[in-house]
Amino acid sequence: MRRGLGLLAITMAPSLAFAGDLNEISYDRTADGEVRVHFTLSEPLDTDPGSFKIDNPARVAVDLPDVENKTGSRSEKIGLGAVNSVMLAESGGKTRAVFNLDGSVPYAISQDGARVTVTFDEPRQATKTDSGLTVTDKGDSDATSMDAGTEIDFRRASNGAGRLLLDVGGTDAAMDIRRQGSQIVLHLPDTRLEQGRYNVNDFATPVETIDVRPAGSGSRVTVTTNNAGEHLAYQTGNRLVLEVQPIPESKDERSLGKKEYEGERLSLKFQDIEVRPLLQLIADFTGNNIVVSDSVQGSISLRLENVPWDQALDLIMTTKGLSSRKNGNVIYVAPTDEIAASDKAELAAREQAQQLAPLITDIVQVNYAKAEDIANLVRQSSGLSKDAGDKKSDGNFLSRRGSITIDSRTNNLIVTDTAEALDRVRGLIHEIDKPVKQVLIETRIVIATDNFSRELGVRWGLQGGFDRGGQRVGFGGNAKDMGDAPAYPIDQNNPGSLNGTYFSSETNDFMVNTPISGDPTGSLGLAILGSNVLLNLELQAMQSEGTGKIVSNPKVITTNGHKATISQGVEIPYQSVSSTGGAAIANTEFKEALLKTEVTPQITPNDNVIMDILVMKEEPDYTRAINGEPPINTREVQTKVQVQNGQTVVLGGIYEFENVSQIEKVPFFGDLPGIGNLFKNRMSDDSRFELLIFVTPKIVDKEDMSRYNKGVLIN
């Protein structure tokens, strides 16, 4: 297989004498799209020009033997058809013309006397697939084929993927593709390919080898990979493409400080070549201007395959102890000691110029920041203490002779230094003295409650009395009162009966007394009075439901990076006792109960807001007061959160649920089925409490700030 990757490889020998001159390069385009490049020589060539081509990148090299370049230029821009430009290099008694092409196209070389013409065919039309890949016809040249005359082609994509191109002879060829470990197996049941094993390591793709074997009436293609990522297969016309992607490199896997080379790749093969013409060759190839010091001498032997030109230059300089300095598009190459000495001399000259430069005093206006903060920043960056007389080192802004003074009344800076240093200070102030963005933070504290309570109670009593043997006998819920004769009025017309007026529920003469704990919202009484017996029954019931919602909505506006606090509340007095001289003295002190928001915003470059925030709500609870002094209920959240501009985030929530069931009953009787309900009291209480805290930051622009200053609420 022929490699399609490496760039131009030029082998150079010691310089020889030239027999002819290259005087002119011209070019034109024919009616059928062919591009012709003409080389006008001083005399005809004694031998035919040599040539070769590579596909990735697409280049054609033409050697003109015994010819010296007299055109006065080492490159020529063409820009016709597939031909971009041509570069010229002289060595080994010949001039080599390297054509940079947009793609691989057929070419031909003809000679007419002292004129050599290179003709390039019109580029073939590329086919764009759905995946965005471009596949072109193979063409007549064998430079892109693994083996001339076979139906197999392998190429390297710009992203490092390997592409296997197969001519399957039809637009609907059957195929079966699967992955087996590090191998990708492609079965083509109706396509016969020429069998063989192809090594494609030189392409620097995840594909290492390709094995083609017959399988029945078709073929079996086994692709062996190394560190391969995803693979895909697609067909365009008669062309079947199998692409194997490399594993994407993770950012975490890239070593810190590693220099990345991005230059165009080339291949260099030299045996004992002088360094100076080698650097000149790299300059011609890259189009850069390279100035080489006279002290650069010696020769080098090297073989570089498919490396970026800037990496090749670094390797050459490292091997020969050279360094470079770049100024615009000019690269200066010299021995490292010479570069270091030049840098040292330049630094000394700059320091001397600063010492001799006149001092200028300038007043710099600070508009938004504090002049003192700017002055401290300049001093610290310049290696100075707050005392302007402490000048020990040159920094980024002030020189050794410079000083800075603050005028706090006008918020100005008085700077005395050289003109160059003043420009640096003014540039710093221009960059950092800018209005700071402001943020409106709106907080909502929502407290929701839901209560449900139900209670059922019963009271009943049985009372009676009769005479037996001249003795008065009574029974009831209050035996003591019933045994007291004065408390027993007797119906004189019926001595064996009780007076009905005696039986009042207010006497609390109940045998079973399980009422509800509070005032009943409903009750049902029943009294049955016989000749000498009274049954008194009372049923009590109470049910209460309640919901509540408390919303607190504090707002505060502040500048970026500055803490803001807003609070509202009351001070609750309480008594404390102190001892003075052995005597106890009562003191009145106060405890705060606040609704408070404390926030420090930080605006990110994408207009998100990072907030260090404290939200607190305190309130006295007089229902649990002790000696008239209520405890304080505190609800608080403190956190750090990032929110998009204008969006609302829930900082946190508290949810409480309480379910209480209680039964009071008479032992034994309360457990009897059915009638046990006459001996018990039931109570159930359900309560829910929910606390949610919402925060909405909004970056305030100029229009919003104008409305805010006029007292208009910002939504």
Side-chain angles (χ1 to χ4, degrees):
M1 296 177 57
R2 299 194 59 176
R3 280 198 305 260
L5 253 192
L7 297 182
L8 182 59
I10 303 177
T11 304
M12 302 183 68
S15 180
L16 301 176
F18 295 99
D21 298 333
L22 172 60
N23 297 323
E24 183 184 4
I25 299 177
S26 59
Y27 47 87
D28 55 38
R29 189 169 188 172
T30 64
D32 56 1
E34 293 181 341
V35 177
R36 297 183 301 183
V37 181
H38 310 286
F39 296 96
T40 303
L41 309 177
S42 61
E43 59 184 55
L45 296 176
D46 294 335
T47 59
D48 293 334
S51 69
F52 64 91
K53 68 176 293 188
I54 57 175
D55 268 3
N56 195 358
R59 295 241 169 86
V60 170
V62 177
D63 290 335
L64 303 176
D66 298 331
V67 172
E68 183 179 3
N69 180 16
K70 293 293 186 177
T71 62
S73 173
R74 293 184 177 272
S75 64
E76 181 76 20
K77 181 68 175 177
I78 297 178
L80 294 178
V83 185
N84 286 328
S85 61
V86 59
M87 297 184 300
L88 302 176
E90 301 172 5
S91 184
K94 63 183 177 182
T95 294
R96 172 168 293 179
V98 181
F99 293 90
N100 298 312
L101 309 177
D102 287 337
S104 179
V105 296
Y107 70 96
I109 303 175
S110 60
Q111 184 174 358
D112 182 11
R115 189 175 192 181
V116 177
T117 301
V118 183
T119 304
F120 296 91
D121 288 351
E122 184 180 8
R124 296 179 180 269
Q125 185 65 30
T127 302
K128 183 72 70 173
T129 66
D130 293 339
S131 62
L133 303 175
T134 301
V135 178
T136 59
D137 293 337
K138 184 169 58 176
D140 299 331
S141 174
D142 62 349
T144 62
S145 301
M146 294 170 50
D147 190 3
T150 69
E151 299 173 334
I152 297 176
D153 191 9
F154 186 84
R155 301 177 184 178
R156 184 183 190 274
S158 59
N159 61 351
R163 294 178 186 169
L164 176 62
L165 293 83
L166 305 174
D167 188 355
V168 294
T171 59
D172 56 348
M175 71 172 179
D176 178 25
I177 185 171
R178 63 185 183 275
R179 191 160 191 165
Q180 297 178 350
S182 62
Q183 293 183 335
I184 300 174
V185 180
L186 175 64
H187 181 56
L188 302 172
D190 300 323
T191 302
R192 294 301 298 267
L193 301 174
E194 183 175 341
Q195 63 180 351
R197 180 182 180 89
Y198 306 95
N199 190 325
V200 292
N201 267 324
D202 291 340
F203 284 85
T205 70
V207 181
E208 293 185 338
T209 60
I210 301 172
D211 287 285
V212 181
R213 294 290 181 266
S217 61
S219 302
R220 174 189 174 98
V221 181
T222 303
V223 179
T224 303
T225 64
N226 182 25
N227 294 328
E230 297 181 352
H231 69 276
L232 59 95
Y234 57 91
Q235 185 174 354
T236 301
N238 295 341
R239 180 65 58 85
L240 175 64
V241 180
L242 172 62
E243 180 167 322
V244 182
Q245 300 282 350
I247 297 177
E249 182 182 4
S250 173
K251 292 183 179 180
D252 297 335
E253 297 175 354
R254 300 175 183 172
S255 58
L256 295 177
K258 180 181 178 182
K259 184 175 180 179
E260 295 184 359
Y261 297 99
E262 300 178 350
E264 191 175 2
R265 294 178 177 269
L266 53 77
S267 295
L268 298 174
K269 301 175 185 178
F270 296 117
Q271 182 67 32
D272 196 22
I273 182 176
E274 293 185 359
V275 176
R276 298 176 66 86
L278 176 59
L279 295 176
Q280 185 62 46
L281 179 63
I282 294 178
D284 294 339
F285 178 81
T286 61
N288 287 309
N289 299 315
I290 298 182
V291 178
V292 183
S293 172
D294 293 338
S295 56
V296 175
Q297 300 295 333
S299 60
I300 186 174
S301 297
L302 74 162
R303 178 186 176 93
L304 300 177
E305 295 285 346
N306 191 37
V307 298
W309 72 265
D310 45 356
Q311 184 179 11
L313 181 61
D314 279 355
L315 290 173
I316 295 171
M317 291 191 301
T318 301
T319 303
K320 302 303 294 182
L322 305 176
S323 297
S324 65
R325 291 292 183 267
K326 188 171 184 180
N327 186 1
N329 64 341
V330 178
I331 301 175
Y332 175 68
V333 179
T336 302
D337 295 342
E338 184 176 327
I339 292 287
S342 175
D343 292 344
K344 185 176 181 180
E346 183 180 355
L347 179 60
R350 187 182 300 114
E351 291 180 351
Q352 184 177 7
Q354 289 180 351
Q355 294 297 326
L356 299 177
L359 297 180
I360 302 173
T361 299
D362 196 1
I363 299 177
V364 183
Q365 175 69 48
V366 180
N367 298 316
Y368 302 100
K370 290 184 178 180
E372 183 178 0
D373 295 340
I374 300 292
N376 291 335
L377 180 62
V378 173
R379 291 192 185 104
Q380 293 173 5
S381 182
S382 301
L384 303 177
S385 67
K386 192 172 183 180
D387 181 7
D390 183 10
K391 308 166 188 172
K392 296 182 179 180
S393 63
D394 283 333
N396 295 329
F397 300 102
L398 294 179
S399 68
R400 295 175 183 267
R401 304 160 61 201
S403 65
I404 185 169
T405 307
I406 304 167
D407 183 3
S408 57
R409 183 180 64 87
T410 59
N411 201 43
N412 288 343
L413 293 176
I414 304 174
V415 185
T416 301
D417 211 326
T418 62
E420 182 181 358
L422 287 176
D423 291 339
R424 293 197 297 265
V425 173
R426 281 192 171 276
L428 171 67
I429 296 176
H430 176 74
E431 290 296 329
I432 65 177
D433 186 29
K434 295 180 179 179
V436 182
K437 291 183 179 181
Q438 301 185 89
V439 184
L440 174 69
I441 296 99
E442 180 179 0
T443 307
R444 290 184 178 88
I445 305 173
V446 181
I447 302 175
T449 58
D450 187 3
N451 298 311
F452 175 81
S453 178
R454 174 183 292 172
E455 191 171 0
L456 299 175
V458 61
R459 301 193 300 178
W460 62 272
L462 181 64
Q463 300 179 9
F466 57 88
D467 293 330
R468 184 177 180 85
Q471 297 294 324
R472 186 66 178 171
V473 179
F475 60 88
N478 193 341
K480 177 180 179 180
D481 292 341
M482 294 181 69
D484 192 354
Y488 256 92
I490 305 297
D491 188 352
Q492 300 298 327
N493 297 323
N494 188 3
S497 65
L498 300 175
N499 192 326
T501 60
Y502 171 78
F503 301 100
S504 172
S505 62
E506 296 180 358
T507 62
N508 294 326
D509 294 335
F510 294 108
M511 299 177 65
V512 176
N513 188 14
T514 57
I516 63 177
S517 58
D519 295 332
T521 56
S523 62
L524 176 65
L526 176 65
I528 302 176
L529 180 63
S531 59
N532 58 359
V533 177
L534 173 64
L535 175 62
N536 196 16
L537 175 66
E538 182 179 359
L539 300 177
Q540 296 180 342
M542 181 188 70
Q543 178 173 320
S544 64
E545 300 180 17
T547 59
K549 184 176 181 181
I550 302 175
V551 179
S552 303
N553 186 207
K555 293 183 180 181
V556 63
I557 190 170
T558 182
T559 57
N560 181 30
H562 290 76
K563 182 169 69 175
T565 302
I566 185 172
S567 63
Q568 176 188 3
V570 297
E571 289 188 339
I572 302 170
Y574 65 94
Q575 296 290 329
S576 64
V577 179
S578 61
S579 178
T580 303
I585 300 176
N587 300 318
T588 300
E589 298 185 8
F590 293 88
K591 168 69 176 178
E592 289 184 335
L594 300 176
L595 169 63
K596 179 180 179 182
T597 296
E598 186 177 284
V599 61
T600 303
Q602 176 186 346
I603 301 175
T604 64
N606 59 349
D607 280 345
N608 288 349
V609 181
I610 301 175
M611 295 180 291
D612 284 313
I613 188 167
L614 168 66
V615 179
M616 181 174 60
K617 181 177 176 62
E618 299 175 331
E619 56 185 2
D621 187 358
Y622 289 98
T623 62
R624 295 184 296 164
I626 300 176
N627 298 326
E629 299 176 359
I632 302 221
N633 295 332
T634 302
R635 301 173 181 91
E636 177 181 323
V637 60
Q638 184 172 3
T639 184
K640 186 173 185 177
V641 64
Q642 178 174 334
V643 189
Q644 294 184 9
N645 179 30
Q647 291 194 351
T648 300
V649 62
V650 182
L651 292 185
I654 299 175
Y655 182 76
E656 296 179 2
F657 176 78
E658 184 178 4
N659 187 355
V660 178
S661 296
Q662 181 176 336
I663 298 178
E664 296 179 356
K665 61 184 178 180
V666 177
F668 178 73
F669 294 99
D671 296 329
L672 295 176
I675 64 173
N677 293 324
L678 298 176
F679 297 89
K680 65 178 65 175
N681 167 277
R682 291 189 180 90
M683 188 271 291
S684 63
D685 188 1
D686 296 337
S687 61
R688 294 178 177 85
F689 171 85
E690 188 170 6
L691 169 66
L692 294 174
I693 299 176
F694 303 87
V695 173
T696 305
K698 181 178 181 182
I699 300 175
V700 182
D701 54 24
K702 293 182 178 179
E703 181 179 352
D704 289 337
M705 198 64 222
S706 176
R707 296 170 56 202
Y708 190 82
N709 291 334
K710 294 179 181 179
V712 181
L713 183 63
I714 300 177
N715 294 324

